[in-house]
């Protein structure tokens, strides 16, 4: 589904990613962990099509097509969803209008008729229930005045509406209390289909108690320095990132 | 630079030549103000150059033009008004149609509504309700420094009169449709007087349209008295063509515990200048002034707001937003004056503009004069482009660039529109704003003129 090969990325001249290799197959859940500043969010941004990051080397393919050539909206319509670390507030634009436009753009792309107002509201109601979202949120402006937890839940709600094939969740767990974390994680699990995949970017292991990954990668200084099964997350939790840092530095021969 | 336009004297001559004609067709009350008004106009003239209140707006392109002097209605113009039907379909309102500032319907120039409310011709009302008109006419339009207000007082002979007696709540809004239609270029000046006695409530919608493509100029003054505990809302919808100039001056005098709001929605127009004055003359009064301006090509929209906190514990709030495209320009000047005794004042002001091109311009100027100590006052202005982060957020959900831009502009504008408390009108405005932003014609459907 997603094949990243030797990806190098710079932001404003500063090199952030230094050769990422990653393959995500249909049905898989990957976790990407790593200390702050290791390049996790940059990787998510590049996959979603944010233009402030310049790809200097390497390729990203999505179902065999060059993903880097596609506009962000095209990636979305082809099934990529980015759950934002900091969801954006849009005063004056209602959630209903926002999601109706997005859903109908997706439908148009697939050659389907737009949903009627009543059908749309019905779908919206179902999805709200599915991900356990307070129904009042949907009547407000996008994220405006939402708490941190509400914003993250709203990301999951949007994910439910758009039914992505590949979901990238960028620190969706940060700043959540345990109840909100559970709601978010349950939402992600419920939305999982046999053919859909997820890349969960997180700083902490606790999200992975709820969303069980097939593979855990550790990103450090712009590279994936280790990939293993879910037990790697527990090891990281126990030993901290210092452990990885030391190992990497020993391997490359320059210690602290 | 002068504070007065070189074309000012032309209107002194016009008045001198036509004074008799104007006075014969007007009521005595209005005539009694003309002498003093023309004197003041003589001193102040048409604002220009260094006049602080009009610093960013050049009126000369209109005032230098030779208009057909418009003092009397012409029958064939009036017939046009009969064909006009407003298409805010669900809007259940008491309608009044003015053609070039005069009443086409000669039989029903002044009519009574439920609850003893009267709407219609100010000229007729000056005779029928002379005491009332005498008590209020010319009392609130007290802009000593604006020559245009005095010019209107000197020359206007009719306009809209609305009277809401004590303890009356009119459950339907009054809709005034100002049409301009003529084969000649015309300059019209009408005068409105709205009296809302205590414990009453009314909403007024004023829709400005041009029906023919000639060059037009309107200079209109509206005086409003809002009695104790009353509620008054005025919404102005401006949709005129690029060759039209619209100058409005609205003076709202508020008594104790009254609540008044004004909302100027400028969808289209060549040159638009709205001056809105709220005088908070009694304790606990509250005022809200809103404005939205959408301009493109060489259009210019200027909003001047003047809030005078003359009494303690009053609240005022200003919110003006605009989207400027192409070479369009906008101006906002919001003055808040807090008198020495107006303790416990709350006054807020916000002006946000989006510039879509490098050539679009906006001038924004807060002006705070505070003489009391116990005051909470804030003002803020932003001028910018659409935010990249917000853009990306929408695009990441599958919404293309063009649609994302529209949604953001719409959302931006909706913050002003959402304050319209008449639902069908609010929905209609949302639609018109959307059409306008899409670059489609935002004329109201039954209008024959293509505003673009």
């Amino acid at each position: 589904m997603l094949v990243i090969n030797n990806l190098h990325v710079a932001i404003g001249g500063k090199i952030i990613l230094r050769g990422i290799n990653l393959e995500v197959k249909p049905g898989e859940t990957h976790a990407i962990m790593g200390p702050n500043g290791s390049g996790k969010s940059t990787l998510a941004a590049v996959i979603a099509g944010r233009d402030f990051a310049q790809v200097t080397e390497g390729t990203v393919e999505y179902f065999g097509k060059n993903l880097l050539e596609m506009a962000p909206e095209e990636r979305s319509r082809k099934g990529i969803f980015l759950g934002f670390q900091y969801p954006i507030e849009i005063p004056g634009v209602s959630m209903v209008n926002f999601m109706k436009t997005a859903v109908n753009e997706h439908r148009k792309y697939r050659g389907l008729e737009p949903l009627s107002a009543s059908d749309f509201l019905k779908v919206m109601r179902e999805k709200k229930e599915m991900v356990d979202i307070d129904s009042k949120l949907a009547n407000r402006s996008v994220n405006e005045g939402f708490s941190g937890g509400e914003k993250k839940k709203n990301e999951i709600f949007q994910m439910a509406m758009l039914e992505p094939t590949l979901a990238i969740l960028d620190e969706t767990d940060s700043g959540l209390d345990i109840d909100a974390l559970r709601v978010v994680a349950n939402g992600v699990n419920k939305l999982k289909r046999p053919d859909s995949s997820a890349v969960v970017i997180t700083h902490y292991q606790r999200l992975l108690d709820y969303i069980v990954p097939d593979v855990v990668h550790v990103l450090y200084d712009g590279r994936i320095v280790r990939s293993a099964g879910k037990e790697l997350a527990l090891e990281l939790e126990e030993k901290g990132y210092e452990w990885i840092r030391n190992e990497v530095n020993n391997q490359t021969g320059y210690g602290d | 630079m002068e504070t007065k336009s070189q074309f000012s004297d032309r209107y002194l001559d016009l008045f001198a030549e036509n004074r008799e004609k104007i006075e014969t067709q007007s009521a005595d009350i209005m005539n009694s103000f003309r002498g003093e008004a023309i004197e003041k106009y003589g001193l102040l003239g048409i604002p220009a150059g260094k006049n602080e209140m009009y610093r960013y707006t050049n009126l000369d392109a209109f005032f230098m033009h030779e208009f057909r002097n418009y003092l009397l209605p012409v029958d064939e113009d009036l017939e046009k008004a009969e064909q006009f039907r407003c298409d805010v379909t669900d809007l259940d309102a008491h309608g009044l149609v003015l053609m070039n500032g005069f009443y086409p319907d000669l039989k029903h120039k002044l009519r009574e509504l439920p609850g003893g409310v009267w709407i219609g011709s100010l000229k007729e009302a000056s005779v029928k309700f002379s005491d009332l008109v005498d008590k209020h006419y010319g009392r609130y339009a007290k802009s000593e420094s604006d020559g245009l207000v005095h010019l209107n007082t000197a020359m206007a002979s009719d306009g809209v009169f609305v009277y809401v007696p004590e303890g009356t709540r009119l459950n339907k809004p009054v809709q005034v449709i100002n049409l301009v239609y003529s084969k000649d270029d015309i300059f019209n000046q009408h005068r409105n007087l709205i009296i809302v006695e205590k414990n009453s409530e009314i909403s007024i919608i004023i829709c400005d349209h041009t029906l023919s493509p000639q060059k037009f100029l309107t200079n209109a003054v509206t005086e409003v008295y809002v009695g104790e505990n009353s509620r008054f809302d005025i919404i102005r919808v401006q949709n005129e063509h690029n060759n039209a100039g619209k100058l409005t001056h609205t003076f709202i005098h508020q008594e104790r515990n009254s609540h008044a709001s004004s909302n100027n929605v400028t969808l289209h127009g060549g040159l638009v200048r709205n001056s809105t004055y709220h005088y908070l003359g009694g304790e606990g009064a509250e005022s809200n002034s809103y404005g939205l301006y959408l301009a493109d090509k060489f259009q210019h929209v200027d909003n001047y707001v003047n809030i005078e906190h003359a009494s303690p514990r009053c609240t005022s709030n200003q919110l003006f937003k605009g989207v400027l495209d192409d070479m369009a320009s906008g101006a906002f000047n919001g003055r808040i004056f807090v008198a020495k005794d107006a303790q416990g004042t709350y006054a807020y002001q916000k002006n946000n503009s989006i510039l879509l091109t490098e050539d679009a311009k906006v001038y924004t100027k807060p002006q705070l004069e505070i003489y009391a100590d116990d005051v909470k006052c804030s003002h803020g202005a932003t001028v910018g482009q659409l935010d990249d982060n917000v853009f990306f957020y929408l695009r990441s959900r599958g919404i293309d660039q063009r649609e994302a831009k529209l949604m953001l502009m719409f959302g931006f504008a909706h913050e002003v529109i959402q304050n319209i408390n008449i639902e069908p009108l609010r929905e209609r405005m949302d639609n018109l704003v959307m059409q306008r932003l899409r670059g489609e014609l935002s004329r109201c459907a039954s209008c024959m003129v293509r505003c673009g």
Side-chain angles (χ1 to χ4, degrees), chain B residues 44-57:
Chain B
L44 294 162
I46 308 292
K50 281 209 159 147
N51 186 317
E52 268 303 312
M53 278 171 68
Y54 283 83
R55 201 164 155 188
Y56 305 111
T57 298

Side-chain angles (χ1 to χ4, degrees), chain A residues 49-50 71-73 76-77 81-82 84 88 90-93 98 101-102 105-106 143 155 158, chain B residues 388-390 392-401 403 407-408 410-412 414-415 418 434:
Chain A
R50 194 76 221 244
E73 55 270 31
S76 167
R77 293 168 199 166
F81 178 88
L82 174 64
F84 281 59
I88 309 287
I90 317 179
V93 175
F98 173 44
T101 310
E105 291 272 358
H106 279 242
N143 292 325
E155 293 292 290
Q158 292 172 41
Chain B
D388 278 347
N389 291 319
V390 186
F392 179 70
Y393 193 62
L394 293 176
R395 293 180 71 192
S396 78
R397 301 304 182 239
I399 299 167
D400 67 32
Q401 223 162 339
E403 199 62 32
M407 284 183 85
L408 294 182
F410 177 80
F412 179 81
H414 184 72
E415 285 199 296
Q418 70 187 2
M434 196 47 156

Side-chain angles (χ1 to χ4, degrees), chain A residues 59-76:
Chain A
T59 56
V60 182
E61 285 187 352
Y62 180 62
F63 289 108
K65 298 264 168 56
N66 181 358
L67 185 71
L68 301 175
E69 276 179 354
M70 298 176 200
E73 55 270 31
E74 194 186 344
R75 300 180 196 203
S76 167

Side-chain angles (χ1 to χ4, degrees), chain B residues 205-257:
Chain B
I205 303 155
I206 300 187
C207 302
D208 296 332
H209 298 278
T210 42
L211 299 187
S212 61
Q214 279 71 13
K215 193 174 180 96
F216 297 125
L217 177 62
T218 304
N219 179 41
V221 172
T222 303
E223 290 184 280
V224 185
Y225 171 83
V226 188
E228 201 176 316
N229 294 321
S230 284
R231 191 183 172 96
F232 170 75
D233 299 301
I234 184 164
I235 299 145
R236 208 177 256 285
V237 183
Q238 296 173 319
N239 199 11
E240 300 195 326
H241 63 58
N242 285 334
N243 212 10
K246 187 95 206 176
L247 313 171
T248 76
H249 317 265
T250 306
F251 297 86
I252 303 173
H253 175 99
Q254 294 186 234
E255 294 288 356
R256 198 184 169 87
N257 295 326

Side-chain angles (χ1 to χ4, degrees), chain A residues 68 79 82 91 105 109 112 116 136 147 157 168 179 209 247:
Chain A
L68 301 175
L82 174 64
E105 291 272 358
Y109 181 77
L112 300 171
S116 72
K136 274 175 295 199
S147 70
F157 166 65
I168 319 278
D179 291 331
D209 288 342
E247 273 203 6

